[in-house]
């Protein structure tokens, strides 16, 4: 049944691909940097077989075996489960790129394109305070990606690289090591929504998610993912457990995220929707909900204000400059018309859904279509998976429709993977026997198979 669902989901996305490719070839549409051959994915055909394939195949087999033998970690304590998932995440993310060659592939994006990537500017970070204060003025001398992002990405990469010996190897290993911190955050978020079983099922799928494995070892969207998922986790706990303390933490994390990537705006949209939903659906906890929102907003505003006062970095001026740079770089391929706007929205959603894995996408659609069955997957203090599910779905639709993302979201939207993986895992929790988790095992197999097949057949730019 799972294979059938996945094939049907894949067939639907293939039809979308044909429609988009036809529009690009026959209608003359340009959609960001993607080509008609693989639209909506940002990739190119590059079929190849190398000895490095043996490493991810062996790791995929062993990870699946570990998940099966531990009954999706139901036999392990929370701490042992988290540490196990982190170890497998690190192993899979490091071995999957070896399909393209030896360990040097880990540093290829850093050394081959210094004029494009953040790594090309880390030598400019001699003093963090000075770098922040002069960042806007030095934009024209920075790599292309840095010109449309705030300065935190370069600073973080510089710190990670220096902690591990400097150079491209330090940067690459620092990137993947930091990205591994997303695993306990996904586990914690899943646990707060549906308890231990949902935490384990969600994390098992997350660790095997194609886009997460394909990109966290080679680009800064992995570290971005950590901070943005941490914001989601903290704000969710602010709504359910500790409104003021976790609200302040969520706001501070969001402010940190705003120093790394402007995609933090999408996390803020999720938080706003979930907060409003909670305010309406839980009138008996209205005071706590208001306190959570107020404390988060206060921290989000205070942190950049302090940064501005102490370093001279003006976040408003930087945002204006970044918008201008983005319009210049992506001119002719953006949301210049209503039709292209709609096509890009469909392409964004499709690319993201494909990249999270066909089994996960199929489960997610199944959860959406059977929401009433999951009303009992309760939070610790009221509410249900329904709040998370529909807040996430609304966020995805808004993110796709905003005139911000011009494809490439299979990499940029890594932080949104939990919004899909956790509801998808709820379907697994609902439909299988803990003593025989065959559905979960097959889901993990198919996800890892898709990730490996993608790396064998396609070339990605990170």
């Amino acid at each position: 049944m799972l294979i059938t669902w996945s094939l049907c989901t894949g067939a639907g996305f293939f039809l979308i691909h044909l429609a988009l490719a036809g529009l690009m070839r026959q209608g003359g549409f340009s959609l960001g940097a993607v080509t008609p051959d693989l639209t909506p994915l940002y990739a190119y055909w590059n079929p190849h077989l190398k000895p490095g394939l043996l490493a991810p195949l062996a790791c995929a087999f062993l990870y699946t075996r570990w998940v099966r033998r531990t009954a999706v970690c139901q036999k392990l304590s929370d701490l042992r489960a988290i540490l196990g998932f982190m170890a497998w995440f690190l192993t899979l993310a490091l071995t999957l790129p070896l399909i393209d060659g030896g360990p040097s592939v880990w540093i290829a994006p850093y050394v081959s394109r210094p004029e494009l990537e953040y790594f090309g500017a880390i030598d400019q970070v001699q003093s963090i305070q000075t770098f922040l204060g002069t960042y806007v003025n030095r934009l024209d001398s920075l790599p292309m990606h840095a010109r449309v992002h705030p300065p935190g990405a370069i600073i973080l990469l510089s710190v990670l690289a220096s902690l591990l010996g400097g150079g491209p190897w330090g940067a690459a290993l620092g990137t993947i090591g930091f990205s591994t911190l997303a695993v306990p955050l996904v586990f914690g978020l899943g646990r707060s929504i549906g308890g231990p079983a949902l935490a384990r099922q969600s994390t098992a799928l997350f660790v095997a998610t194609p886009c997460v494995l394909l990109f966290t070892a080679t680009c800064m969207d992995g570290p971005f993912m950590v901070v943005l998922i941490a914001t989601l986790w903290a704000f969710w706990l602010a709504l359910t457990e500790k409104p003021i303390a976790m609200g302040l933490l969520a706001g501070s994390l969001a402010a940190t995220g705003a120093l790394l990537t402007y995609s933090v705006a999408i996390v803020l949209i999720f938080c706003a929707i979930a907060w409003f939903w909670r305010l309406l659906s839980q009138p008996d906890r209205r005071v706590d909900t208001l306190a959570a929102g107020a404390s988060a907003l206060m921290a989000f505003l205070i942190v950049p204000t302090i940064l501005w006062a102490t370093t001279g970095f003006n976040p408003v001026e930087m945002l204006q400059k970044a918008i201008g740079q983005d319009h210049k770089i992506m001119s002719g391929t953006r949301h210049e018309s209503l039709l292209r706007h709609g096509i890009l929205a469909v392409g964004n959603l499709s690319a993201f859904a494909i990249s999270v894995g066909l089994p996960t996408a199929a489960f997610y659609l199944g959860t959406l279509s059977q929401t009433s069955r999951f009303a009992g997957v309760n939070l610790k203090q009221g509410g249900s998976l329904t709040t998370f599910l529909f807040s996430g779905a609304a966020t995805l639709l808004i993110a796709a429709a905003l005139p911000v993302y011009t494809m490439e979201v299979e990499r940029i939207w890594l932080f949104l993977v939990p919004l899909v993986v956790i509801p998808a895992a709820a379907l697994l929790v609902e439909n299988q026997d803990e003593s025989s988790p065959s559905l979960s095992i097959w889901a993990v197999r198919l996800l890892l198979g898709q990730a490996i097949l993608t790396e064998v057949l396609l070339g990605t730019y990170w």
Side-chain angles (χ1 to χ4, degrees):
M1 181 63 73
L2 172 59
I3 294 176
T4 302
W5 291 349
S6 300
L7 289 175
C8 290
T9 304
F13 290 130
F14 182 68
L15 292 176
I16 292 174
H17 157 71
L18 292 178
L20 293 176
L23 283 169
M24 293 180 73
R25 289 193 176 104
Q26 308 301 326
F29 278 90
S30 296
L31 302 176
V34 304
T35 64
D37 291 342
L38 288 170
T39 183
L41 299 178
Y42 184 49
Y44 55 92
W45 286 110
N46 184 33
H48 58 283
L49 288 174
K50 295 182 179 180
L53 174 61
L54 296 176
L57 283 175
C59 290
F61 170 78
L62 292 173
Y63 174 64
T64 306
R65 184 183 180 193
W66 178 75
V67 171
R68 183 180 69 249
R69 291 182 63 183
T70 60
V72 198
C73 293
Q74 301 297 334
K75 300 178 181 179
L76 304 180
S77 66
D78 281 1
L79 179 59
R80 290 182 63 192
I82 290 171
L83 292 176
F85 280 129
M86 290 179 72
W88 280 113
F89 176 88
L90 188 62
T91 302
L92 289 165
L94 283 172
T95 55
L96 187 63
L98 297 180
I99 292 173
D100 292 333
S104 61
V105 299
W106 298 334
I107 64 171
Y110 298 94
V111 299
S112 63
R113 301 179 299 181
E115 75 284 357
L116 297 179
E117 307 303 335
Y118 305 108
F119 180 75
I122 64 172
D123 290 341
Q124 297 188 38
V125 187
Q126 303 300 321
S127 162
I128 292 178
Q129 183 175 7
T130 301
F131 184 75
L132 284 169
T134 60
Y135 188 75
V136 175
N137 293 329
R138 67 170 78 194
L139 277 182
D140 290 337
S141 67
L142 296 175
M144 186 189 72
H145 281 114
R147 297 175 194 174
V148 294
H149 282 79
I154 297 173
I155 294 172
L156 177 59
L157 186 59
S158 174
V159 171
L160 292 174
S162 64
L163 289 175
L164 292 171
W169 285 102
L173 295 177
T175 297
I176 180 57
F178 190 85
S179 299
T180 306
L181 297 176
V183 173
L185 292 169
V186 173
F187 189 97
L189 185 56
R191 201 182 202 290
S192 69
I193 294 169
L198 185 59
R200 286 157 173 76
Q201 294 282 4
S202 302
T203 312
L205 295 182
F206 178 80
V207 168
T209 298
C211 62
V212 174
L213 294 179
L214 287 166
F215 296 112
T216 51
T218 53
C219 74
M220 281 299 289
D221 290 283
F224 296 168
M225 166 184 68
V226 173
V227 178
L228 299 185
I229 294 177
T231 305
L232 288 171
W233 164 78
F235 191 76
W236 192 259
L237 290 186
L239 292 178
T240 59
E241 296 185 18
K242 301 175 181 178
I244 296 178
M246 297 308 293
L248 290 171
L249 177 60
S252 300
L253 287 167
T256 303
L259 199 62
L260 296 169
T261 171
Y262 293 120
S263 287
V264 71
I266 307 304
V267 173
L268 296 180
I269 289 173
F270 172 86
C271 293
I273 295 172
W275 177 85
F276 190 66
W277 188 304
R278 180 80 171 183
L279 193 66
L280 295 180
S281 63
Q282 300 288 331
D284 56 319
R285 292 181 56 83
R286 190 162 291 167
V287 173
D288 286 345
T289 304
L290 289 170
S295 57
L297 180 61
M298 181 176 67
F300 180 70
L301 295 176
I302 287 177
V303 170
T305 301
I306 294 174
L307 194 66
W308 190 351
T310 56
T311 68
F313 172 69
N314 185 334
V316 177
E317 183 183 5
M318 179 60 224
L319 177 60
Q320 292 172 337
K321 293 278 189 180
I323 292 173
Q325 289 281 350
D326 181 68
H327 287 185
K328 179 180 178 181
I329 294 169
M330 303 302 294
S331 178
T333 67
R334 302 182 72 260
H335 303 74
E336 282 91 353
S337 69
L338 185 60
L339 179 58
R340 183 181 279 132
H341 194 126
I343 293 170
L344 284 170
V346 172
N348 287 337
L349 283 176
S350 301
F352 179 67
I354 294 168
S355 68
V356 297
L358 297 181
T360 299
F363 285 143
Y364 179 74
L365 294 174
T367 306
L368 275 177
S369 65
Q370 303 175 49
T371 307
S372 60
R373 293 178 57 192
F374 301 98
V377 185
N378 293 324
L379 296 165
K380 292 180 179 179
Q381 298 183 23
S384 70
L385 178 69
T386 306
T387 303
F388 186 84
L389 175 65
F390 279 106
S391 297
T395 300
L396 287 170
L397 290 174
I398 292 171
L402 286 174
V404 175
Y405 298 103
T406 313
M407 313 297 267
E408 303 183 48
V409 295
E410 56 266 44
R411 169 182 58 86
I412 301 171
W413 284 4
L414 293 181
F415 66 96
L416 294 179
V417 170
L419 302 188
V420 177
V421 164
I422 292 174
L427 197 65
L428 290 172
V429 173
E430 185 75 7
N431 283 281
Q432 70 178 21
D433 181 2
E434 289 184 8
S435 63
S436 180
S438 59
L439 192 60
S440 294
I441 303 305
W442 274 105
V444 168
R445 285 190 183 120
L446 291 173
L447 288 170
L448 291 173
Q450 180 180 332
I452 292 172
L453 195 62
T454 300
E455 193 71 23
V456 169
L457 295 178
L458 306 182
T460 55
Y461 297 91
W462 283 272

